[in-house]
Amino acid sequence: MMGRGLLGIEDLDRDDIELILDTAQHMKEVGEREVKKVPTLRGRTIINLFFESSTRTRTSFEIAGKRLSADVVNFSPSSSSLSKSESILDTAKTLDAMDPDAVVVRHQVAGVPKRIADVLDAPVINAGDGAHEHPTQALLDLMTVVENKGRVDGLTVTIVGDIAHSRVARSNVYAFTKMGAEVRVAGPPTMMPVEVESLGVKAFTSLREALDGADVVMALRIQRERLSGSMLPSVREYNATFGIDRAKMRFAKDDAIVMHPGPVNRGVELSHDLTDDRPSVILDQVRNGVAMRMAVLYLLAGRKRSRNEEAS
Ligand code: NCD
């Protein structure tokens, strides 16, 4: 499975995803103990290489590694001094010489984790690359839906917002369609990728139609850093048309849940009260993020050593 790392959900099949979800369930149990630590990755080194800012993802990878007893090193070069891809590869080679057991990479340019993976011996985990993929986010979102709904198969999942610039949307489209959900995407036409329906989703410009009968409503952050001026309607207009609040949630199923990968622009893509209270499960997503990243680190960083041991 997973090849030599986790670069995107596109590369996984249903069995891979099920294995990761099962593993994450076990890891979650570790997080519920009084002593939240197991020796599984003792003596292993994990490098967090974050070229783009991050709160949740970086912190949860760090906590995940530490709960598994790995040595976790955070390396956050300023993107200005390391913007040329040549120097990124030099950095990667330097890190490789330190013999890590896994490297977690976030970068503002799509494809950089793959380029780094091509020169590293250690498995690379993509923690978000440009508008391409954010696989661990989609996996923790699946986990959160399974917990709240008991299944993914047969559910209707509506993803709302800046679909074109969202790596979370792309990874979730792959993840939820592979696991048997009907996936809908909704947003202003300027935020909809061309030929999005070729990914197996239904595209809507009417929020009301997109929400009709939905079990899961996932709001996305407006990706200001990836938008050029003309693509963004005024924030007020966006909120009126695509912002999710309790009134609009009436179009969805009565027991629908609301998700958001964070960070939320409160009052833009999600109303204040929905950001804080049920039916939103945003904090469940954050909590599951740690368990999911433990699972992925366990499956990948735990492997390299056994390959070496087999060789010796
Ligand atoms: C997302 C990201 O960085 O891709 N956030 C996250 O990982 N929790 C979503 C976003 O930035 O909007």
Side-chain angles (χ1 to χ4, degrees):
M1 59 158 286
M2 284 160 89
R4 293 214 318 97
L6 176 60
L7 297 175
I9 303 290
E10 192 180 5
D11 310 326
L12 303 183
D13 61 26
R14 201 176 167 132
D15 287 346
D16 297 329
I17 295 173
E18 265 160 13
L19 169 68
I20 301 169
L21 288 172
D22 283 351
T23 310
Q25 213 45 59
H26 292 294
M27 295 300 169
K28 185 158 181 166
E29 183 264 318
V30 173
E32 287 161 357
R33 296 182 194 165
E34 200 180 323
V35 177
K36 302 177 178 52
K37 210 172 174 86
V38 286
T40 321
L41 293 184
R42 227 175 79 202
R44 312 284 165 105
T45 305
I46 295 163
I47 298 180
N48 274 333
L49 183 56
F50 278 66
F51 296 93
E52 194 186 52
S53 63
S54 165
T55 310
R56 276 156 264 261
T57 307
R58 196 192 56 73
T59 316
S60 61
F61 267 111
E62 182 173 354
I63 294 174
K66 288 182 170 166
R67 284 193 182 165
L68 292 168
S69 303
D71 295 312
V72 182
V73 181
N74 293 310
F75 184 49
S76 306
S78 82
S79 39
S80 57
S81 66
L82 254 178
S83 53
K84 292 188 188 142
S85 60
E86 249 185 324
S87 42
I88 289 167
L89 294 184
D90 281 345
T91 307
K93 284 181 194 152
T94 307
L95 295 176
D96 200 36
M98 298 176 194
D99 202 18
D101 295 281
V103 179
V104 181
V105 180
R106 167 169 287 200
H107 199 282
Q108 57 276 26
V109 177
V112 168
K114 163 87 171 71
R115 296 195 59 191
I116 292 179
D118 288 341
V119 302
L120 282 196
D121 267 346
V124 170
I125 299 165
N126 180 4
D129 60 331
H132 175 227
E133 279 227 40
H134 191 354
T136 56
Q137 178 70 43
L139 291 164
L140 72 90
D141 287 341
L142 279 177
M143 180 177 180
T144 306
V145 169
V146 172
E147 258 179 23
N148 280 277
K149 295 273 159 213
R151 68 195 164 105
V152 173
D153 214 1
L155 296 182
T156 299
V157 177
T158 302
I159 308 179
V160 183
D162 185 1
I163 309 298
H165 301 92
S166 173
R167 52 198 178 203
V168 175
R170 182 178 294 268
S171 288
N172 267 317
V173 164
Y174 290 130
F176 280 91
T177 51
K178 282 178 196 234
M179 298 308 282
E182 175 192 319
V183 180
R184 302 174 182 171
V185 294
T190 49
M191 294 181 178
M192 202 61 85
V194 277
E195 295 183 7
V196 62
E197 295 197 328
S198 67
L199 296 175
V201 303
K202 290 189 194 152
F204 296 78
T205 46
S206 153
L207 182 65
R208 186 182 181 142
E209 285 172 22
L211 292 183
D212 184 38
D215 299 283
V216 175
V217 179
M218 187 182 295
L220 299 172
R221 184 176 66 87
I222 298 293
Q223 305 271 304
R224 291 176 213 259
E225 72 278 26
R226 291 186 237 286
L227 282 170
S228 58
S230 59
M231 292 171 174
L232 186 63
S234 78
V235 163
R236 187 201 293 240
E237 188 189 326
Y238 180 86
N239 178 251
T241 325
F242 290 101
I244 307 292
D245 57 18
R246 288 191 198 275
K248 294 196 188 110
M249 281 303 290
R250 288 205 202 99
F251 301 129
K253 285 214 180 115
D254 288 345
D255 61 352
I257 55 169
V258 176
M259 305 177 77
H260 191 298
V264 178
N265 291 307
R266 285 171 176 259
V268 181
E269 62 261 1
L270 214 54
S271 61
H272 282 271
D273 62 318
L274 266 190
T275 306
D276 296 320
D277 296 316
R278 290 199 75 91
S280 93
V281 295
I282 296 173
L283 292 181
D284 291 358
Q285 291 173 269
V286 176
R287 220 168 280 122
N288 288 335
V290 175
M292 181 49 71
R293 283 156 186 141
M294 286 171 78
V296 169
L297 289 172
Y298 165 76
L299 290 168
L300 287 169
R303 258 163 49 136
K304 189 180 158 236
R305 176 68 57 88
S306 42
R307 210 190 295 143
N308 290 349
E309 278 166 1
E310 273 167 30
S312 64

